[in-house]
Amino acid sequence: MASPERPLMSIRKFRCDDLARHSPGDGIRLDRSEETHLFKILRATPGESVELLDGHGRIASAEVGEERILTIREIRMTPLPERRIHLYIAPPRRQKMDSVLREATELGVWRIVPVICEFSVAEPDASSVAGRWSDTMFEACKQSGNPFLPETTPPLPFAKALSDALASCGELYFGSPDQTEHSAPGAMDIAWFIGPEGGFSKTEETRLREAGAKPLRIGRWILRVETAAVAGIVRLLN
């Protein structure tokens, strides 16, 4: 008995890091993990359509062919976002940080900088940031359709993170229970500072204020790190 056809839902998206080297008409193969997902798990057949993302704004439409070859039909470049949020965050423990990575990516955060603060509870190593973090965020890109993989840096001490934000961003904000009058940011690049579970130390908060960072209240009550990070991104983007 013939198996029923699988209904086509949204077009599936896959990672292709070297998309910049290809042109329409080229035949390519995905890397092993993506290829396994497409052909062994999803059981793709010739003629089906997929999309390829490289994390740098390129989206390619491709068609599944014989022998697991994908033929690129079109490549388009996504314009840069009008507003870019740089998330400077004292990472919570692994499971909570993974949630931040996924949700921040789905929302379109531009850059994630792990910050080591006085009250930090976790310090990721540089290899985790470049490896596991990147993989987690790319999965969120594929799920959400965000064509821009957030940039990351190795963990930075608070003082260096603040200097980095001043050099990279036109406006700085930090989470605070203080009442603030917040208007839509005017800068393209905005730094959003989130402290650890114990909050910023008095010295760190003073340095933020002295650097021109504005306190941003995003709820009636004290929020968890992962909640505050995501809620602030939403507010600063809108």
Side-chain angles (χ1 to χ4, degrees), residues 133-151:
W133 281 27
S134 179
D135 291 342
T136 298
M137 291 187 296
F138 217 121
E139 287 302 311
C141 283
K142 288 158 53 179
Q143 183 275 325
S144 64
N146 177 8
F148 294 102
L149 178 69
E151 299 175 8

Side-chain angles (χ1 to χ4, degrees), residues 5-220:
E5 293 185 5
R6 290 182 291 113
L8 290 177
M9 306 298 287
S10 59
I11 296 179
R12 300 279 187 171
K13 296 171 177 61
F14 296 87
R15 182 173 185 169
C16 182
D17 293 331
D18 61 350
L19 200 53
R21 299 193 300 107
H22 292 287
S23 303
D26 286 355
I28 64 171
R29 293 193 67 153
L30 300 176
D31 68 23
R32 181 174 296 180
S33 61
E34 296 290 272
E35 185 178 90
T36 297
H37 186 208
L38 177 59
F39 292 102
K40 289 192 175 181
I41 298 176
L42 299 178
R43 299 182 181 180
T45 57
E48 291 189 29
S49 296
V50 298
E51 287 188 336
L52 309 177
L53 309 176
D54 70 352
H56 300 288
R58 295 178 187 82
I59 304 175
S61 300
E63 183 178 311
V64 176
E66 301 291 343
E67 299 182 355
R68 299 189 174 185
I69 301 295
L70 305 181
T71 301
I72 296 176
R73 299 304 185 195
E74 176 190 27
I75 299 177
R76 57 191 185 278
M77 192 71 192
T78 307
L80 292 176
E82 295 182 0
R83 191 173 296 162
R84 300 190 294 235
I85 305 299
H86 300 238
L87 175 61
Y88 292 81
I89 182 170
R93 301 193 188 280
R94 175 169 174 167
Q95 186 174 1
K96 294 179 180 179
M97 189 61 203
D98 285 351
S99 176
V100 171
L101 294 172
R102 288 190 296 269
E103 294 176 23
T105 301
E106 291 170 10
L107 290 169
V109 75
W110 187 254
R111 187 164 170 253
I112 299 179
V113 179
V115 183
I116 308 305
C117 294
E118 187 174 335
F119 301 144
S120 286
V121 298
E123 182 175 345
D125 55 53
S127 61
S128 292
V129 174
R132 185 178 60 80
W133 281 27
S134 179
D135 291 342
T136 298
M137 291 187 296
F138 217 121
E139 287 302 311
C141 283
K142 288 158 53 179
Q143 183 275 325
S144 64
N146 177 8
F148 294 102
L149 178 69
E151 299 175 8
T152 57
T153 73
L156 298 179
F158 176 83
K160 288 188 176 181
L162 184 55
S163 296
D164 181 274
L166 288 169
S168 304
C169 302
E171 295 182 19
L172 283 66
Y173 292 86
F174 67 96
S176 170
D178 293 347
Q179 182 66 46
T180 56
E181 293 184 9
H182 169 65
S183 57
M188 172 178 281
D189 289 277
I190 302 164
W192 172 223
F193 275 83
I194 294 293
E197 293 176 6
F200 291 114
S201 69
K202 290 184 179 180
T203 300
E204 290 166 343
E205 183 168 330
T206 297
R207 296 188 69 175
L208 282 164
R209 292 179 183 272
E210 290 176 346
K214 304 172 186 177
L216 181 64
R217 186 183 184 192
I218 51 177
R220 295 175 61 190

